[in-house]
Amino acid sequence: MNSKNKLGKSSMVNGKFIVVEGIEGAGKSSAITVIEKILVQQNISYIKTREPGGTPLAESLRDIVKSASHEEELTQETELLLMYASRSQLLANRILPALKQGQWVIGDRHDLSSQAYQGGGRNFDDEVMNAIADVTLKGFTPDLTIYLDIDPELGLSRAKARGELDRIELEKIEFFHRVRNKYCQIAQQDNKITTIDASQAMKAVHHDIQHVIERFITSMDV
Ligand code: TMP
């Protein structure tokens, strides 16, 4: 990025990677819209990604992971490996090149999802999770993660109202409680993750997101 933003500063540096996380129905899409508006106002160029997916090959993996109509059962190990295969493609072919060019990246999910869904939901050991993350990410982490926290009953009821549920959304409610617990546990220990109460009225959630992003931009001194 080599352009003046509204703060009047010029920069020629790597972009920043902002990730939005949360269980189904937490409001990730509208959170991303709020973030986009702020980046546009600040004259910061960005791309958006989603996981699993985000490249042609990774989108094919997303279809496999989300489809509820496979003729054979998708094992938990396959699910785990496909999440990381997708992430590897996305990181190498879109996220890293964009950041290098100075573009910011807004991610709809990233590695924290695997830690929460596969680590928490599916009960994979921390050791296994750390090993596969190390191989795939080689220490790469987002600059900021916004975790939208919501009770699974409320989130799932919102997701159901949107239409047909995919393979993961069809899991029992206990699965989503384990996912949420893991999200909360990790978020508490990592100061690059900000938790926002997503059960508030939408206006309040958006206000909180705006505050976090503006504070982040100011702290980056972009
Ligand atoms: P979504 O993008 O519509 O939220 O769907 C992605 C689904 O995949 C969602 O149920 C969460 C799940 N997921 C994992 O289980 N592990 C992961 O690493 C990622 C990125 C997503």
Side-chain angles (χ1 to χ4, degrees):
M1 182 172 46
N2 187 14
S3 59
K4 286 205 167 184
N5 61 32
K6 283 213 168 154
L7 299 171
K9 290 169 185 155
S10 167
S11 52
M12 179 72 174
V13 290
N14 281 356
K16 300 293 169 198
F17 184 28
I18 299 175
V19 174
V20 178
E21 288 278 359
I23 63 163
E24 0 289 286
K28 287 185 288 115
S29 302
S30 65
I32 288 169
T33 307
V34 173
I35 298 171
E36 285 190 82
K37 265 193 200 152
I38 298 170
L39 297 193
V40 169
Q41 278 167 6
Q42 293 287 342
N43 199 19
I44 293 170
S45 83
Y46 66 91
I47 62 161
K48 285 193 293 178
T49 61
R50 68 172 180 181
E51 296 191 30
T55 77
L57 203 154
E59 285 292 319
S60 309
L61 301 178
R62 178 184 178 91
D63 290 343
I64 297 173
V65 155
K66 294 201 42 133
S67 171
S69 57
H70 294 297
E71 283 179 7
E72 63 190 76
E73 193 199 333
L74 194 90
T75 67
Q76 299 195 358
E77 288 73 16
T78 297
E79 179 186 274
L80 171 69
L81 293 168
L82 289 180
M83 295 299 178
Y84 277 94
S86 164
R87 185 160 304 127
S88 177
Q89 291 303 119
L90 182 67
L91 186 64
N93 296 323
R94 284 202 70 211
I95 297 177
L96 291 178
L99 294 175
K100 265 190 201 140
Q101 284 171 11
Q103 282 187 303
W104 287 34
V105 178
I106 307 175
D108 181 340
R109 300 191 181 280
H110 186 59
D111 193 54
L112 184 55
S113 279
S114 293
Q115 295 177 51
Y117 282 79
Q118 280 66 51
R122 306 284 190 219
N123 285 316
F124 277 101
D125 287 353
D126 284 353
E127 235 172 80
V128 171
M129 296 304 299
N130 290 340
I132 192 167
D134 282 351
V135 169
T136 311
L137 302 169
K138 301 169 187 73
F140 174 83
T141 55
D143 296 288
L144 172 71
T145 299
I146 291 183
Y147 164 55
L148 300 168
D149 183 52
I150 194 160
D151 185 271
E153 265 91 3
L154 180 54
L156 265 288
S157 72
R158 287 182 184 172
K160 275 182 195 143
R162 282 200 302 245
E164 221 174 286
L165 300 181
D166 66 34
R167 191 183 57 84
I168 296 175
E169 288 164 345
L170 287 167
E171 283 293 334
K172 294 198 180 79
I173 196 75
E174 293 77 28
F175 171 83
F176 293 98
H177 281 291
R178 289 198 299 278
V179 174
R180 184 194 192 192
N181 287 343
K182 195 70 170 186
Y183 264 132
C184 291
Q185 190 192 322
I186 298 171
Q188 263 180 3
Q189 294 162 359
D190 185 339
N191 62 10
K192 283 186 173 176
I193 304 173
T194 300
T195 302
I196 287 176
D197 176 2
S199 65
Q200 302 175 90
M202 198 186 269
K203 211 174 160 191
V205 175
H206 288 185
H207 175 270
D208 287 356
I209 294 166
Q210 190 173 342
H211 178 71
V212 172
I213 296 296
E214 286 177 351
R215 198 180 51 191
F216 175 74
I217 290 175
T218 308
S219 76
M220 283 295 127
D221 203 22
V222 292

